[in-house]
Amino acid sequence: SRTDSNRLVAVAALLQGSTSSICTLQSSGIDRPAKLDNARYASYDGRFEDAIVKQMVLNDGGNGNVKFHSLEDHGYADEETMKSSSVVSSFLKSGASDSTWIFTHWEGILAERDGTKLNFFSLEDYGIPYGYSPVLLTSEEIIGKDPEMISSVLKGLEKGYKFCAENPYRAAEILHEQACRYPHLSDLALLEASQLKIGDKYLTGDFDEDGGDWGRMEHVRWEKWVEFLFQHGIITDRNGEVLKKDSIEDVTKLFTNEFLP
C-alpha cells in the first residue's frame, strides 16, 4: 500500500480556468452533448475522461451511450495527428470519429485557421466543475527532504508565467525562437494567437497593479471537484471498484499553497 512519503501533493496550478472543450464538427449535426448518444468519441484514455464525457451527456438529457474508442498512445502513435498537431484533423475531419476533447487555445485555433467549423461543449456549461488542470505535483518525501528546492522552482515558474501573461507577443517569440524545430511551433502567428487565447488563465483575479497570483489553488474548487467525482462514482481503485468519499480523509491533503511565492 502507499505510504505518506510517496503520496503525491499538488503544489501549483498552471491555469486558473478551463482551456478545453469537447468538440464536434458543425457539419455533423451533433450540436449538444445529448446528441453524443450512439456517436463515436476519440478518447485519450485519461484517468476520468470517459466518465466525465458520459456524465456531461447525462447532464444534458442524454443516455450516456457514447461509443468510446482509444487513441493509440494518446494519439502520439498516429502519424497524421502528429503531422497536423490536432485530432480534429486526423480523426474528425477524416471521418474516423465524431467527437474528442481538445484544447481550444491550440486545436481550436488550428481549426479556425483552416476554416473548420466546430461546436464546443464546455464542461462547466453542463454541470462539470472545474478541477485545476494541469497541476504541478511533488511527493510528501520530497516536501520533507527539500522544501526549499520546491519553493525555488515555483518562484522561477511564477516569474515565467507572469512574464507570459504580461508580454504575450514576446512570450510567443521566445517559444518560437527556442522550439521552432517542431513544425507548428515554427508558426509565430499561431503561437501568438494561442498565447492571447490562454493568457488570461495564468493568474488569479483581474490584472491589477500586482498582476494577480500564479499557481494558487482554492479549497472550495478542490472540494467541488472531489465531491463531483465521488457523487458520480468516477473515482475507482486499481481494480475498478468505486471508492467512497471517506477514502479521502481531508481534501486539504491533496494540495498546498505553502511553497508558492
Side-chain angles (χ1 to χ4, degrees), residues 17-69:
S18 177
T19 63
S20 67
S21 297
I22 309 304
C23 78
T24 63
L25 298 178
Q26 287 189 9
S27 59
S28 71
I30 304 172
D31 56 7
R32 57 184 297 172
K35 292 186 179 180
L36 288 173
D37 273 335
N38 301 312
R40 297 166 298 172
Y41 174 86
S43 174
Y44 299 90
D45 295 327
R47 181 67 174 83
F48 307 129
E49 180 184 359
D50 294 359
I52 287 173
V53 173
K54 179 179 179 179
Q55 190 60 49
M56 174 189 275
V57 174
L58 290 168
N59 289 354
D60 192 40
N63 296 318
N65 297 324
V66 183
K67 296 179 180 178
F68 296 103
H69 64 96

Side-chain angles (χ1 to χ4, degrees), residues 75 78-86 89-90 110 182-184:
D78 183 76
E79 183 178 351
E80 181 57 34
T81 298
M82 296 305 296
K83 180 180 177 181
S84 64
S85 193
S86 172
S89 178
S90 59
L110 285 171
Y182 183 68
H184 281 89

Side-chain angles (χ1 to χ4, degrees), residues 55-172:
Q55 190 60 49
M56 174 189 275
V57 174
L58 290 168
N59 289 354
D60 192 40
N63 296 318
N65 297 324
V66 183
K67 296 179 180 178
F68 296 103
H69 64 96
S70 298
L71 295 166
E72 186 179 356
D73 293 331
H74 309 290
Y76 294 111
D78 183 76
E79 183 178 351
E80 181 57 34
T81 298
M82 296 305 296
K83 180 180 177 181
S84 64
S85 193
S86 172
V87 174
V88 171
S89 178
S90 59
F91 279 80
L92 270 59
K93 289 176 67 177
S94 70
S97 194
D98 302 306
S99 60
T100 194
W101 199 326
I102 67 168
F103 288 110
T104 53
H105 64 277
W106 190 257
E107 291 102 325
I109 291 174
L110 285 171
E112 182 180 341
R113 281 160 55 97
D114 71 14
T116 302
K117 295 183 178 180
L118 299 175
N119 297 313
F120 299 101
F121 310 142
S122 171
L123 276 65
E124 291 80 4
D125 289 342
Y126 295 94
I128 312 295
Y130 175 71
Y132 290 107
S133 178
V135 295
L136 292 179
L137 299 171
T138 190
S139 68
E140 289 281 9
E141 180 180 12
I142 295 175
I143 288 174
K145 287 182 176 180
D146 200 350
E148 293 80 10
M149 179 273 291
I150 299 171
S151 296
S152 178
V153 168
L154 296 186
K155 184 177 181 179
L157 287 170
E158 181 203 43
K159 182 178 180 180
Y161 273 93
K162 283 193 170 184
F163 177 87
C164 291
E166 296 165 2
N167 305 276
Y169 288 102
R170 180 56 187 144

Side-chain angles (χ1 to χ4, degrees), residues 106-239:
W106 190 257
E107 291 102 325
I109 291 174
L110 285 171
E112 182 180 341
R113 281 160 55 97
D114 71 14
T116 302
K117 295 183 178 180
L118 299 175
N119 297 313
F120 299 101
F121 310 142
S122 171
L123 276 65
E124 291 80 4
D125 289 342
Y126 295 94
I128 312 295
Y130 175 71
Y132 290 107
S133 178
V135 295
L136 292 179
L137 299 171
T138 190
S139 68
E140 289 281 9
E141 180 180 12
I142 295 175
I143 288 174
K145 287 182 176 180
D146 200 350
E148 293 80 10
M149 179 273 291
I150 299 171
S151 296
S152 178
V153 168
L154 296 186
K155 184 177 181 179
L157 287 170
E158 181 203 43
K159 182 178 180 180
Y161 273 93
K162 283 193 170 184
F163 177 87
C164 291
E166 296 165 2
N167 305 276
Y169 288 102
R170 180 56 187 144
E173 288 177 358
I174 293 172
L175 179 58
H176 177 260
E177 293 165 0
Q178 299 298 319
C180 62
R181 287 177 294 177
Y182 183 68
H184 281 89
L185 295 183
S186 65
D187 186 337
L188 181 57
L190 172 61
L191 299 182
E192 290 174 343
S194 180
Q195 190 64 221
L196 291 170
K197 183 81 170 178
I198 197 177
D200 64 350
K201 299 293 194 302
Y202 288 148
L203 308 177
T204 60
D206 299 324
F207 289 98
D208 53 23
E209 63 273 10
D210 296 322
D213 294 324
W214 174 80
R216 199 157 301 280
M217 296 170 284
E218 297 177 354
H219 180 274
V220 66
R221 277 193 175 183
W222 271 98
E223 188 68 46
K224 287 181 178 179
W225 173 238
V226 171
E227 177 65 30
F228 165 80
L229 294 176
F230 279 113
Q231 180 183 352
H232 296 287
I234 294 175
I235 295 184
T236 62
D237 63 17
R238 293 174 183 267
N239 297 317

